[in-house]
Amino acid sequence: MNLAEGVQVVSFGILATMLIGTALGVVLATSIVYSAFLLGGVFISIAGMYLLLNGDFVAAAQVLVYVGAVNVLILFAIMLVNKRQDFTPYPSAGIRKILTAIVSVGLFALLSTMVLATPWAYSTTSKAGDSSIVLIGEHFFSDFLLPFELASVLLLMAMVGAIILARREYLPEVTPSDLPQTVLTLPERPRELVGAGSETQE
């Protein structure tokens, strides 16, 4: 973006503060719904930083994919899940929090040292005529063609597996003795629970 240096510094400061605040809210909020909303704020802050780096396509993909799809999916999953019992804290929850804080502080110190020790340099060359969408497409279908296709196959396999697992209660009635028992055999959902769940929903 062709902005003045002062505007860029102020914008980066606002986005960085928003990013750190919402990220802390994700892990510190007691309500999982609030954590999901704050996660959307993290994604929007990252998209704003992409805009400051002239990554307009990546910023749009960040908002559309992560905020518009992933975060909304998380919210629907949280709101539609029927929680039957409250979460019980583990006996060693305090020790886990201390260990988590130590690891987080260590990672923050490592990243801060790396940022401060790296000799950053400003790029003086400008590629105003090149579109980021064209460049990303060229890299996807030339340098990163194999990882791009493998990711597509993995996503397709995950989608098919999710559909099969979600529709297991609609499989025909079979006895366990009729099916060959292998390591990859998944246990069927009890028919009584499925019928009771459908009756309570009606």
Side-chain angles (χ1 to χ4, degrees):
M1 298 178 68
N2 297 324
L3 299 175
E5 185 177 356
V7 177
Q8 291 184 1
V9 172
V10 172
S11 301
F12 178 78
I14 294 174
L15 290 172
T17 304
M18 180 179 174
L19 177 61
I20 295 173
T22 51
L24 289 175
V26 171
V27 297
L28 296 178
T30 57
S31 175
I32 192 170
V33 178
Y34 292 157
S35 297
F37 277 113
L38 291 171
L39 184 62
V42 173
F43 293 149
I44 293 175
S45 303
I46 295 175
M49 291 189 175
Y50 285 146
L51 282 178
L52 290 179
L53 295 173
N54 292 326
D56 48 356
F57 176 75
V58 183
Q62 174 82 14
V63 174
L64 291 176
V65 176
Y66 286 97
V67 181
V70 175
N71 201 63
V72 173
L73 178 63
I74 292 173
L75 285 174
F76 272 96
I78 293 171
M79 294 178 179
L80 295 178
V81 167
N82 186 13
K83 187 178 71 173
R84 298 182 181 275
Q85 59 183 2
D86 296 331
F87 294 105
T88 56
Y90 288 100
S92 59
I95 300 177
R96 295 177 184 225
K97 290 181 180 179
I98 294 174
L99 293 177
T100 303
I102 293 174
V103 173
S104 301
V105 171
L107 288 175
F108 181 76
L110 179 62
L111 292 175
S112 301
T113 305
M114 182 194 68
V115 169
L116 295 175
T118 302
W120 301 101
Y122 290 99
S123 178
T124 57
T125 60
S126 61
K127 298 181 179 179
D130 297 335
S131 174
S132 60
I133 301 176
V134 175
L135 292 176
I136 292 173
E138 290 178 354
H139 284 296
F140 268 158
F141 291 100
S142 59
D143 301 331
F144 303 101
L145 179 61
L146 182 60
F148 180 71
E149 295 297 334
L150 287 178
S152 303
V153 174
L154 289 176
L155 290 174
L156 178 62
M157 293 170 59
M159 184 180 66
V160 173
I163 293 173
I164 292 175
L165 291 176
R167 296 180 60 85
R168 288 184 68 82
E169 63 266 19
Y170 299 106
L171 294 177
E173 291 285 352
V174 291
T175 57
S177 59
D178 296 337
L179 297 175
Q181 297 294 325
T182 61
V183 178
L184 299 177
T185 303
L186 293 175
E188 288 290 337
R189 189 181 300 177
R191 299 288 171 174
E192 295 80 6
L193 294 179
V194 176
S198 59
E199 290 176 0
T200 54
Q201 291 177 359
E202 293 176 358

